[in-house]
Amino acid sequence: MESQEMIRSISQSRKRTPVKVFLEPKGITSRMRLLKAKRKHLTFFRRPIMITGEYEEIKGFIERNEEDIKYIEMEYSCKNSALPLLDILEINARIEPGAIIREGAVIHEHAVILMGAVINTGAVIGEKTMIDMGAIIGGRAMIGKNCHIGANSVIAGVLEPMSVIPCVIEDDVMIGANAVILEGVRVGKGSVIGAGSIVLQDVPANSVVVGNPGRVIKEKDEKTVEKSKIVEELREL
């Protein structure tokens, strides 16, 4: 999906503020009145009464039935959200608690998404690629197969400021913790990006890059190959 198309999709989407509310009625009569007063688009669960739905609709319901409510507790996670989270149930990958993946992202088989990773809409995560804890994958970023994106690293997105060329990480790339790959950069197949590096320009295949700004210090040798192998067992489901 192109940047302009993604921006249009987000701007024109229905903004949602889903909430979950727990109500304690004042008594049996109040319980019955609350259950009778429920609206078509609100989902109720009994004992205690739990309601899920859009905030404005639930707010109106509470105001209209205030005299029957003894106690209210409300849970929510967003406000005017443009895109929901990706439905991950049918994805054949390992996705740990706390990962945030927006609808429109593509997660291929046997990928591993660890705690706190954030993957924006339009991003593609290749087969057997691991996104480590706290890593941020920006909109439309393309990450190939058998990669490791280190903890707290950033693969820049291209929504704002808008760029025509997405960030591309080719197959078999290892990116160290806290590294930053700027928008529009292509990292060639088999390359290794050192921890904390900030990569401003394209990286040739099988290169080792370190520093700020990142620079190629050598071609990948046998020692580097051995140290940067992925662990297949971690990709098993």
Side-chain angles (χ1 to χ4, degrees), residues 23-170:
L23 302 178
E24 181 182 347
K26 291 181 177 178
I28 294 176
T29 302
S30 293
R31 174 183 289 275
M32 296 304 296
R33 279 201 293 263
L34 287 170
L35 291 173
K36 186 176 180 180
K38 69 180 181 179
R39 296 287 298 276
K40 181 174 65 173
H41 300 298
L42 304 181
T43 302
F44 275 64
F45 300 84
R46 298 170 182 248
R47 297 183 183 175
I49 295 176
M50 185 174 79
I51 314 172
T52 64
E54 282 294 310
Y55 171 68
E56 289 300 327
E57 190 169 5
I58 286 181
K59 178 183 177 182
F61 173 85
I62 291 171
E63 290 172 349
R64 290 190 300 273
N65 297 278
E66 185 175 5
E67 65 180 25
D68 287 318
I69 299 171
K70 179 179 179 182
Y71 172 78
I72 297 174
E73 182 173 332
M74 185 176 296
E75 295 180 1
Y76 47 88
S77 60
C78 60
K79 175 69 174 177
N80 292 325
S81 176
L83 291 175
L85 297 183
L86 182 68
D87 182 355
I88 62 175
L89 289 180
E90 298 301 322
I91 296 175
N92 192 30
R94 176 158 67 90
I95 301 173
E96 296 293 349
I100 299 174
I101 308 173
R102 295 182 83 191
E103 186 176 88
V106 177
I107 311 296
H108 286 285
E109 291 200 347
H110 293 267
V112 177
I113 316 297
L114 294 184
M115 301 77 71
V118 178
I119 301 175
N120 205 353
T121 184
V124 176
I125 309 301
E127 182 179 343
K128 293 186 178 182
T129 282
M130 179 181 290
I131 309 299
D132 212 333
M133 296 179 293
I136 297 175
I137 312 301
R140 292 183 64 221
M142 311 289 288
I143 301 179
K145 302 176 182 178
N146 303 312
C147 295
H148 182 103
I149 310 301
N152 297 312
S153 56
V154 176
I155 310 300
V158 292
L159 287 180
E160 187 181 58
M162 192 170 65
S163 171
V164 175
I165 305 172
C167 191
V168 176
I169 311 298
E170 297 185 359

Side-chain angles (χ1 to χ4, degrees), residues 169-187:
I169 311 298
E170 297 185 359
D171 297 345
D172 306 313
V173 169
M174 301 292 289
I175 296 179
N178 298 300
V180 176
I181 316 297
L182 292 193
E183 63 270 9
V185 169
R186 176 180 288 266
V187 177

